[in-house]
Amino acid sequence: MSRVKMDVQLGPLHLQNPVLVASGTFGYGSEYADLVDLNRLGGIMVKGTTLRPRAGNPMPRMVETASGCLNAIGLQNVGVEAFIREKLPFLRQYRCAVIVNIAADVREEFEELAERLDGVEGVHALELNISCPNQARGGIEFGVDPEATYDVVSRVRRRTRLPLIVKLSPNVTDIRVTARAAVDGGADILSLVNTFVGTAIDARTRQFKLANITGGLSGPAIKPLALYMVWKVAQAVSVPIIGMGGIMNATDAVEFMLAGASAVAVGTANYINPRVSIEVLEGIEQYLIEQGETDVKAIVGTVKRCKPESEF
Amino acid sequence: MSRVKMDVQLGPLHLQNPVLVASGTFGYGSEYADLVDLNRLGGIMVKGTTLRPRAGNPMPRMVETASGCLNAIGLQNVGVEAFIREKLPFLRQYRCAVIVNIAADVREEFEELAERLDGVEGVHALELNISCPNQARGGIEFGVDPEATYDVVSRVRRRTRLPLIVKLSPNVTDIRVTARAAVDGGADILSLVNTFVGTAIDARTRQFKLANITGGLSGPAIKPLALYMVWKVAQAVSVPIIGMGGIMNATDAVEFMLAGASAVAVGTANYINPRVSIEVLEGIEQYLIEQGETDVKAIVGTVKRCKPESEF
Amino acid sequence: MRCAEYCEVVANQPVATDQFEIEIHCPTVARYAQPGQFVQMRVQSGYEPLFSRPFSVFHRKPDRDTFSVVYLVRGTFTQLLAHKQAGDRVFVVGPLGNRFVVAEPQHEKVHVLVAGGVGAPPLYLLAEEMVHHGIAHSNVVVINGARRQDLLVCQGHFAGLGVRLFTATEDGSAGIKGKVTDVLESLREQGDLAPERCQIYACGPTAMLEAVAAFAQQHHVPCQVSLETLMPCGLGVCLGCAVKIRTGDGYDYKRACVDGPIFDAAEVLWR
Amino acid sequence: MRCAEYCEVVANQPVATDQFEIEIHCPTVARYAQPGQFVQMRVQSGYEPLFSRPFSVFHRKPDRDTFSVVYLVRGTFTQLLAHKQAGDRVFVVGPLGNRFVVAEPQHEKVHVLVAGGVGAPPLYLLAEEMVHHGIAHSNVVVINGARRQDLLVCQGHFAGLGVRLFTATEDGSAGIKGKVTDVLESLREQGDLAPERCQIYACGPTAMLEAVAAFAQQHHVPCQVSLETLMPCGLGVCLGCAVKIRTGDGYDYKRACVDGPIFDAAEVLWR
Ligand SMILES: Cc1cc2nc3c(=O)[nH]c(=O)nc-3n(C[C@H](O)[C@H](O)[C@H](O)COP(=O)(O)OP(=O)(O)OC[C@H]3O[C@@H](n4cnc5c(N)ncnc54)[C@H](O)[C@@H]3O)c2cc1C
Ligand SMILES: Cc1cc2nc3c(=O)[nH]c(=O)nc-3n(C[C@H](O)[C@H](O)[C@H](O)COP(=O)(O)OP(=O)(O)OC[C@H]3O[C@@H](n4cnc5c(N)ncnc54)[C@H](O)[C@@H]3O)c2cc1C
Ligand SMILES: Cc1cc2nc3c(=O)[nH]c(=O)nc-3n(C[C@H](O)[C@H](O)[C@H](O)COP(=O)(O)O)c2cc1C
Ligand SMILES: Cc1cc2nc3c(=O)[nH]c(=O)nc-3n(C[C@H](O)[C@H](O)[C@H](O)COP(=O)(O)O)c2cc1C
Ligand code: FES
Ligand code: FES
């Protein structure tokens, strides 16, 4: 048994500990079940799920960059019905929270998805992924426009009693604006960040490296930017935040909590070390003990300005 | 003599080759003169210069991150008069272009700076740094607001006959919007990107690592994002672009040119290898020879979509 | 059974130009790896490169609790790997992926193993298994190809098994001068590749696989190929290793890491 | 004269717990480095860590065209450095920064060199120069301090010069039990630190420098300190190494890399 209290209450959502795995980086849990004790996780955010199955983008879909990676998977997924039928029963065996990340091109599809998942046994919360391109708006993300954000969040809000997490796009001038729009629309929790839009070019062939041209940047490269955004949003809204973006170890996770996140999600790091989420969990406990804390909640948002010139 | 034509014409500004050094990363040239043959550079963008000298921010001002660094120098500089008096005479000895990066908190200061530098011998162009916090707007950058961008650019335009470069902030939802505003305001050339806002936290001390809390992220970490923005802007405007953001070697520089930059600026890499700008120049020449090109201009903006599935 | 753990390097020796064999202590992989399966390896402590890298299992030595991999030094990761010494640690996840399926009835088939460059190691594991299962040596045909003699791997190992070994190099520095498909063609002309009696198993560069697949299709010989893609996770979750696999008159993206890396050549949409 | 070039490692040997001396072939630094100057070094080929690291020049061997540096293994860079072997290459920029200025008239002063941990190496170079310039051994006082005996560096070197050597360790495992300031205090009590005849030169952890500076100020002894900051460029352009230096009743940010690293202790605003 751990000597520190690790459970957290995110608005209506209770988690046994604050360590989640980020959508798209842990599949449907079953892929990792023999390597990771899923019962120990705070929660699993499953792969982005759409109304109908999707084939995804052509290859190449991923490319490594300096301390990061670009991905343009294109939401390849089995669709919500197959998810409920084939993936959820497995997850129901475990006591970690199951959070379904839902994605769509048009607002009505978000509503349908929310309605379909409402009351389904074993689904503990919805995560609204408004950071994917929106066909109805010419490929621009919902998540960069506060009005579209407000509208889609409030539509979904009306269709579900599940705890509603809204996942914010970092590709904006001022993330506090979309954060507030999401909260006004009825978000119980905000999660951030999704990936940053970027590209990579092969100088030799003079071609883009991704078939889709652009992709989303994740990994350690984005941590300073994600940390800043979490800190900004934490000061602008009163709902709890799930922080993510480049978390590779417990220290990174603690930084997000100090910046104001009540829970964290580990993403790209799962590819590199399947057990990293458990290591992050254990590392946070260790950190709290070292810091003389008895409850993980005590550190949330406690970062202070450094004493100037303290370095030298 | 190099076997390829390397000179480029950026609107009204002629450069003997497309390799510049970015503002704030090469001082006033003199600091590097014994290690780098300044005559070989396309141009030097000098440290951000303000109307009056500035002391800069308290320490710590810089921190390393994964494949990047955050800086919050706070525009420490000698001021425009001391620049003209003490720094410019040295630079006049060399044949590379001297580009003065100007920064200010209020619009009128930008105008004064432009007027003061207009016609000063040895100044070849101005680079308007609208990506620094603007006191008159509560610490928000001019460069994130298209109207403020248009206004400040057109004010400066009226005060100078020098080639006018506007340096865009990447901290925006759609960089094409501010790019167009700058062009409409009278920019001859756009340079991008400046740094991305981020922060870093020390988990042990629970303090921000920078005295200023936030800083600007530069270095290889941001290259995928900068490359994307250059490509986007190149398609949206017809003025030439100076591309930068994480260029560490000739291959990176070529990628920016393929994406649509007519010239490139090497920034953070100068700290690591003082000679890197010359290595980039030589590497671009080598690349052009390998690719069978005889003129560097021929590769600008020529990146193509890759053949899908070509990886496998 | 799979593991994800730090393992000790037992040996790391050059075997051909720019190619090394690394032996790693890892009871799980040593015991459970099947021919065609791979491991994800990580030696970097930081983020250069970010991802682990996939390598096919070459040798299993369950008695020593070790397995080995033959790798070609290509870029950042393999350069780091080449610097590892006995006693150093490597993070290993595996065994992963599916395996080559030995065509039934296995004792009546001619099994043709077509290797290109560092594609040879998993086919050695397969050939070894076949011999171990008592398949006649004369029914195990190995075609080992490379650009030059010094890039050929596993030659000694194949020879040691006593199977029928053909060698092809593009410059003629070993075996016949030509490609593995030239050997296939001459075997066919000799009547050695009767479709109903024969199964091809191929591993090597994509261009070679495509040529072998085209040959197999033309001559109606069943063929399994091991596909190489970027493999960020190796566990089936990132979908960065998608390959187009025929389904009816359309196609599906399958994951090379868990649905593969071995696929029926006839079902692969090459472009 | 400065250089920025790849240089060959000649030797890299442990000298104390977690401390190594690395000897590097570099004619420019070997010839021109002055006591207190430093070099920027880079061994990483990628971006982990991103920046070069500053190290004070310890030994110059112009006859062998080499210089050496003593370093403590602290983090990513110094771990990489500790793995370098003779024949490997290091990127060196230097010599950089200003130097300790020997107080005039040099033959009449008592020069007190105060070293903490890996602050000792540049002071050894200074002491060596003093002896070389014919300053009386009895007028060169070295106070070498560390937390424990096994963290003391350059002891043998200082002893070899024949200067007056005092040692202080916090746990008493060598020399007196206490801090370098305790030695300063007892020297002062013995009348050895008459302000008008004495000059202190200090290099070590910032907390030590601050204590030495306070001592010097209190007793009106002139004192030079070598400051340590992050040094992204080392060339005076990034302004990431700023230190607050008194000017009249205000202060200016000076660059530790080119205006320093040596400053008059009385002018440093410590916080
Ligand atoms: C299932 C599977 C099994 C594999 N088994 C083996 C094995 O047993 N032995 C072995 O040596 N390799 C094997 N590989 C390939 C191996 O994973 C790559 O060689 C390795 O990832 C290269 O990493 P790197 O960082 O050294 O090179 P990178 O820096 O990633 O690449 C360096 C250069 O090599 C090119 N390159 C990288 N990978 C390949 C490739 N697969 N084919 C052609 N060019 C490439 C890159 O485009 C780049 O130009 C296997 C791959 C897969 C998918
Ligand atoms: C002018 C100058 C001369 C120097 N000369 C020497 C020398 O001769 N020998 C030598 O060993 N070092 C010297 N240093 C310090 C040396 O530069 C650092 O030890 C080195 O940068 C550490 O790099 P790293 O990547 O190993 O550690 P990092 O990963 O950068 O740091 C690891 C840990 O050590 C701490 N740390 C880093 N630097 C220091 C520091 N300077 N003081 C206290 N804690 C620190 C960090 O906060 C971190 O916790 C000098 C510094 C300066 C400015
Ligand atoms: C390959 C890949 C696929 C992803 N798929 C999804 C997704 O389906 N839905 C979603 O909201 N986020 C998705 N993400 C974003 C992650 O959940 C996370 O927000 C982002 O990667 C930042 O965290 P990290 O840096 O720790 O990876 C994906 C990320 C990657 C790398
Ligand atoms: C320490 C530091 C100081 C900088 N100062 C300025 C400046 O004064 N004016 C400016 O326009 N950009 C400044 N920049 C931004 C760079 O010119 C460049 O736009 C940015 O660093 C991205 O390029 P890079 O990744 O190659 O460094 C500074 C960057 C750094 C790292
Ligand atoms: S490598 Fe990640 S799904 Fe196959
Ligand atoms: S280290 Fe860059 S100015 Fe001193």
Side-chain angles (χ1 to χ4, degrees):
Chain A
M1 266 313 291
S2 88
R3 285 151 289 172
V4 280
K5 263 180 75 69
M6 289 294 282
D7 69 304
V8 291
Q9 186 72 37
L10 308 186
L13 179 65
H14 186 262
L15 301 177
Q16 59 178 356
N17 69 60
V19 181
L20 306 159
V21 284
S23 177
T25 66
F26 209 76
Y28 300 101
S30 54
E31 296 89 339
Y32 281 78
D34 62 330
L35 298 172
V36 177
D37 181 356
L38 304 185
N39 274 324
R40 293 188 63 191
L41 293 175
I44 297 178
M45 300 166 120
V46 300
K47 174 70 196 158
T49 300
T50 51
L51 210 48
R52 274 163 289 275
R54 292 214 191 168
N57 288 330
M59 284 282 280
R61 292 173 170 188
M62 267 170 108
V63 52
E64 283 173 296
T65 66
S67 297
C69 92
L70 286 166
N71 88 79
I73 304 302
L75 279 173
Q76 176 178 350
N77 82 100
V78 296
V80 69
E81 293 305 332
F83 167 72
I84 294 171
R85 203 173 50 239
E86 295 161 19
K87 308 293 180 183
L88 198 54
F90 175 84
L91 286 166
R92 277 199 205 105
Q93 308 169 70
Y94 296 93
R95 68 167 174 268
C96 63
V98 173
I99 296 164
V100 185
N101 180 277
I102 57 174
D105 300 325
V106 295
R107 298 166 200 216
E108 294 71 22
E109 276 179 29
F110 272 118
E111 296 179 84
E112 275 189 69
L113 277 162
E115 205 161 77
R116 179 66 186 90
L117 288 160
D118 188 42
V120 170
E121 193 202 326
V123 175
H124 298 87
L126 296 185
E127 183 181 42
L128 205 61
N129 176 2
I130 52 171
S131 335
C132 52
N134 160 18
Q135 289 173 353
R137 296 188 54 247
I140 310 286
E141 306 168 11
F142 285 111
V144 301
D145 174 350
E147 275 161 46
T149 299
Y150 174 82
D151 182 55
V152 72
V153 174
S154 51
R155 282 168 184 248
V156 167
R157 179 71 293 173
R158 285 194 289 271
R159 305 302 182 97
T160 185
R161 287 153 301 175
L162 284 168
L164 182 58
I165 305 168
V166 175
K167 185 162 182 178
L168 301 178
S169 164
N171 301 298
V172 292
T173 305
D174 186 347
I175 194 163
R176 293 172 302 182
V177 177
T178 38
R180 286 194 206 101
V183 173
D184 291 347
D188 296 311
I189 303 164
L190 299 178
S191 63
L192 61 151
V193 296
N194 213 316
T195 54
F196 288 77
V197 183
T199 194
I201 292 173
D202 184 327
R204 198 180 51 75
T205 63
R206 301 203 199 178
Q207 295 178 344
F208 287 103
K209 288 188 179 172
L210 295 171
N212 187 52
I213 296 184
T214 65
L217 187 66
S218 67
I222 68 169
K223 192 186 73 169
L225 312 182
L227 211 46
Y228 166 73
M229 290 182 174
V230 165
W231 176 69
K232 270 288 195 201
V233 170
Q235 290 168 301
V237 301
S238 53
V239 302
I241 293 170
I242 300 171
M244 71 189 97
I247 296 178
M248 304 305 280
N249 52 45
T251 307
D252 294 335
V254 165
E255 290 164 23
F256 275 87
M257 299 193 78
L258 293 171
S262 298
V264 294
V266 181
T268 304
N270 289 303
Y271 302 155
I272 294 169
N273 173 0
R275 288 195 212 281
V276 65
S277 47
I278 302 297
E279 292 174 12
V280 166
L281 174 62
E282 291 171 350
I284 295 175
E285 287 176 354
Q286 192 55 42
Y287 171 85
L288 293 169
I289 293 166
E290 280 162 22
Q291 294 272 321
E293 299 286 356
T294 53
D295 190 333
V296 71
K297 290 182 277 297
I299 67 166
V300 174
T302 59
V303 62
K304 295 271 177 316
R305 213 179 175 119
C306 71
K307 197 158 61 68
E309 333 295 343
S310 66
E311 172 167 316
F312 134 71
Chain B
M1 267 313 292
S2 88
R3 285 152 289 173
V4 281
K5 262 178 74 69
M6 288 296 281
D7 69 305
V8 291
Q9 187 72 37
L10 307 187
L13 179 66
H14 185 262
L15 301 178
Q16 60 178 355
N17 68 61
V19 181
L20 306 159
V21 283
S23 177
T25 67
F26 210 76
Y28 301 101
S30 54
E31 296 89 340
Y32 280 80
D34 62 330
L35 298 172
V36 177
D37 181 357
L38 304 185
N39 274 323
R40 294 187 63 191
L41 293 176
I44 297 178
M45 301 167 118
V46 300
K47 174 70 197 158
T49 301
T50 50
L51 210 48
R52 273 163 290 276
R54 293 215 191 166
N57 288 331
M59 284 282 281
R61 291 174 170 188
M62 267 170 106
V63 52
E64 283 173 296
T65 65
S67 297
C69 92
L70 286 167
N71 88 79
I73 304 301
L75 279 173
Q76 176 177 350
N77 81 101
V78 297
V80 69
E81 293 305 332
F83 167 72
I84 293 172
R85 204 171 53 237
E86 296 161 20
K87 307 294 182 184
L88 197 54
F90 174 85
L91 285 166
R92 277 199 203 105
Q93 308 170 69
Y94 296 93
R95 69 166 175 268
C96 62
V98 173
I99 296 164
V100 185
N101 180 277
I102 57 174
D105 298 325
V106 294
R107 298 164 200 218
E108 295 69 24
E109 277 179 28
F110 272 118
E111 296 179 82
E112 275 188 69
L113 277 162
E115 205 161 76
R116 179 66 188 90
L117 287 160
D118 189 43
V120 169
E121 194 203 325
V123 176
H124 298 87
L126 296 185
E127 183 181 41
L128 205 61
N129 176 1
I130 51 170
S131 335
C132 51
N134 160 19
Q135 290 174 352
R137 297 187 54 248
I140 308 287
E141 306 167 11
F142 285 112
V144 302
D145 174 348
E147 276 161 44
T149 299
Y150 174 82
D151 182 56
V152 72
V153 174
S154 51
R155 282 166 183 249
V156 167
R157 177 74 292 175
R158 285 193 288 272
R159 305 303 181 97
T160 186
R161 288 152 303 177
L162 284 168
L164 182 58
I165 305 167
V166 175
K167 185 162 182 177
L168 302 178
S169 165
N171 300 299
V172 293
T173 305
D174 185 348
I175 195 162
R176 293 172 302 183
V177 177
T178 39
R180 286 193 204 102
V183 173
D184 291 346
D188 297 310
I189 303 164
L190 299 178
S191 63
L192 62 151
V193 297
N194 213 317
T195 53
F196 289 77
V197 184
T199 194
I201 293 173
D202 184 326
R204 199 180 48 77
T205 62
R206 301 204 201 177
Q207 295 178 343
F208 288 103
K209 287 189 180 173
L210 295 170
N212 187 53
I213 295 183
T214 66
L217 187 66
S218 66
I222 69 169
K223 193 186 73 170
L225 312 182
L227 211 48
Y228 166 73
M229 289 184 175
V230 165
W231 176 70
K232 270 287 194 202
V233 170
Q235 290 167 302
V237 301
S238 54
V239 301
I241 293 170
I242 301 171
M244 70 188 98
I247 296 180
M248 305 305 279
N249 53 45
T251 306
D252 294 335
V254 164
E255 290 164 22
F256 275 87
M257 298 193 78
L258 294 171
S262 297
V264 294
V266 181
T268 304
N270 289 302
Y271 303 154
I272 294 169
N273 173 2
R275 289 194 211 283
V276 66
S277 47
I278 302 298
E279 291 174 11
V280 166
L281 175 62
E282 292 171 350
I284 295 175
E285 286 175 356
Q286 192 55 43
Y287 171 85
L288 293 169
I289 292 166
E290 280 163 22
Q291 294 271 322
E293 299 286 356
T294 54
D295 189 333
V296 70
K297 291 183 278 297
I299 67 167
V300 175
T302 59
V303 63
K304 296 271 179 314
R305 211 176 178 123
C306 71
K307 197 158 59 69
E309 333 295 342
S310 66
E311 170 166 315
F312 133 73
Chain C
M1 268 296 287
R2 305 188 295 187
C3 71
E5 63 194 17
Y6 283 98
C7 297
E8 207 177 289
V9 174
V10 174
N12 194 12
Q13 307 285 348
V15 291
T17 301
D18 290 333
Q19 294 175 19
F20 293 77
E21 178 179 347
I22 189 167
E23 183 179 354
I24 294 167
H25 185 269
C26 178
T28 309
V29 175
R31 194 162 314 156
Y32 299 103
Q34 301 293 315
Q37 285 196 301
F38 65 96
V39 294
Q40 291 274 94
M41 294 208 287
R42 188 170 168 77
V43 291
Q44 62 275 36
S45 57
Y47 314 132
E48 290 177 26
L50 187 63
F51 293 134
S52 303
R53 295 285 191 267
F55 295 91
S56 303
V57 175
F58 163 45
H59 235 163
R60 297 197 298 115
K61 299 179 186 153
D63 48 321
R64 298 170 52 133
D65 278 346
T66 68
F67 73 96
S68 68
V69 148
V70 172
Y71 61 96
L72 172 67
V73 175
R74 270 198 261 240
T76 324
F77 179 85
T78 43
Q79 265 156 33
L80 289 173
L81 194 58
H83 280 96
K84 292 289 133 183
Q85 301 171 349
D88 289 346
R89 294 188 333 153
V90 179
F91 189 73
V92 174
V93 183
L96 302 169
N98 64 1
R99 56 158 292 159
F100 285 110
V101 179
V102 180
E104 295 286 350
Q106 53 180 17
H107 294 283
E108 281 152 41
K109 293 272 178 177
V110 175
H111 304 281
V112 183
L113 285 54
V114 184
V118 284
L123 292 175
Y124 168 73
L125 194 61
L126 179 63
E128 193 190 45
E129 186 192 67
M130 288 172 170
V131 170
H132 188 77
H133 284 187
I135 296 177
H137 290 74
S138 57
N139 279 347
V140 180
V141 179
V142 173
I143 307 175
N144 199 10
R147 275 183 293 120
R148 299 186 313 264
Q149 172 167 36
D150 63 317
L151 298 172
L152 271 176
V153 283
C154 305
Q155 279 288 94
H157 284 89
F158 284 125
L161 286 178
V163 297
R164 283 175 71 194
L165 177 61
F166 297 89
T167 307
T169 53
E170 289 180 30
D171 68 352
S173 49
I176 70 143
K177 181 173 156 95
K179 305 198 170 192
V180 290
T181 40
D182 297 326
V183 181
L184 280 173
E185 187 54 40
S186 63
L187 285 175
R188 192 189 66 79
E189 284 165 8
Q190 291 162 31
D192 274 348
L193 296 185
E196 63 293 346
R197 277 206 59 218
C198 179
Q199 168 77 41
I200 297 176
Y201 313 82
C203 185
T206 304
M208 178 202 100
L209 295 182
E210 210 179 325
V212 172
F215 174 94
Q217 182 152 27
Q218 196 189 338
H219 302 294
H220 311 288
V221 184
C223 175
Q224 297 168 28
V225 289
S226 176
L227 298 180
E228 251 190 41
T229 66
L230 178 74
M231 286 197 182
C233 76
L235 292 162
V237 302
C238 74
L239 310 179
C241 63
V243 291
K244 272 188 181 165
I245 300 298
R246 220 180 291 275
T247 53
D249 42 324
Y251 67 88
D252 248 6
Y253 279 115
K254 296 278 182 191
R255 295 162 298 178
C257 67
V258 293
D259 304 318
I262 322 290
F263 292 93
D264 179 345
E267 294 186 348
V268 177
L269 279 172
W270 294 94
R271 47 192 75 231
Chain D
M1 269 297 286
R2 303 188 295 186
C3 70
E5 62 194 18
Y6 282 98
C7 298
E8 207 177 291
V9 174
V10 175
N12 194 13
Q13 307 285 347
V15 291
T17 301
D18 290 334
Q19 295 176 19
F20 293 78
E21 178 179 347
I22 188 167
E23 184 179 353
I24 294 168
H25 185 268
C26 178
T28 310
V29 176
R31 196 162 310 157
Y32 298 104
Q34 301 294 314
Q37 285 195 302
F38 66 96
V39 294
Q40 291 275 97
M41 294 208 286
R42 189 170 165 78
V43 290
Q44 62 276 38
S45 58
Y47 314 131
E48 291 177 25
L50 188 62
F51 294 134
S52 303
R53 295 286 191 265
F55 295 91
S56 303
V57 176
F58 163 45
H59 234 164
R60 296 197 298 115
K61 299 180 186 153
D63 49 321
R64 298 171 51 136
D65 279 345
T66 67
F67 73 97
S68 68
V69 149
V70 172
Y71 61 94
L72 172 68
V73 175
R74 272 199 260 239
T76 323
F77 179 86
T78 43
Q79 265 156 32
L80 289 172
L81 194 58
H83 280 97
K84 293 288 133 181
Q85 300 172 350
D88 289 346
R89 294 186 336 152
V90 179
F91 189 72
V92 175
V93 183
L96 301 170
N98 64 2
R99 56 158 292 161
F100 285 111
V101 180
V102 180
E104 295 286 349
Q106 54 180 18
H107 294 285
E108 281 151 41
K109 293 273 178 175
V110 175
H111 306 279
V112 183
L113 286 55
V114 185
V118 283
L123 292 174
Y124 168 73
L125 193 61
L126 179 63
E128 192 191 45
E129 185 191 67
M130 288 172 172
V131 169
H132 188 77
H133 284 186
I135 296 176
H137 290 73
S138 57
N139 279 347
V140 180
V141 179
V142 173
I143 307 175
N144 200 11
R147 274 183 293 120
R148 300 185 313 262
Q149 173 168 33
D150 63 317
L151 298 172
L152 273 175
V153 282
C154 304
Q155 280 288 93
H157 285 89
F158 285 124
L161 287 178
V163 297
R164 282 176 71 195
L165 176 60
F166 298 89
T167 308
T169 52
E170 290 180 30
D171 67 352
S173 49
I176 70 141
K177 181 175 158 96
K179 305 199 168 190
V180 290
T181 40
D182 297 326
V183 181
L184 281 173
E185 186 54 41
S186 63
L187 285 175
R188 192 190 65 80
E189 284 165 9
Q190 291 161 34
D192 274 347
L193 296 185
E196 62 293 346
R197 278 206 60 217
C198 180
Q199 168 77 42
I200 296 175
Y201 314 82
C203 186
T206 304
M208 179 202 98
L209 296 182
E210 210 180 326
V212 172
F215 173 93
Q217 182 152 28
Q218 195 189 342
H219 302 295
H220 311 288
V221 184
C223 176
Q224 296 168 28
V225 289
S226 176
L227 298 180
E228 250 191 42
T229 66
L230 178 74
M231 286 197 181
C233 76
L235 293 162
V237 303
C238 74
L239 310 179
C241 62
V243 291
K244 272 188 180 165
I245 300 298
R246 221 180 289 278
T247 54
D249 42 323
Y251 67 88
D252 247 6
Y253 279 116
K254 296 279 183 191
R255 295 162 298 179
C257 65
V258 293
D259 305 317
I262 321 289
F263 292 93
D264 180 344
E267 294 184 348
V268 176
L269 279 173
W270 294 95
R271 47 190 79 230

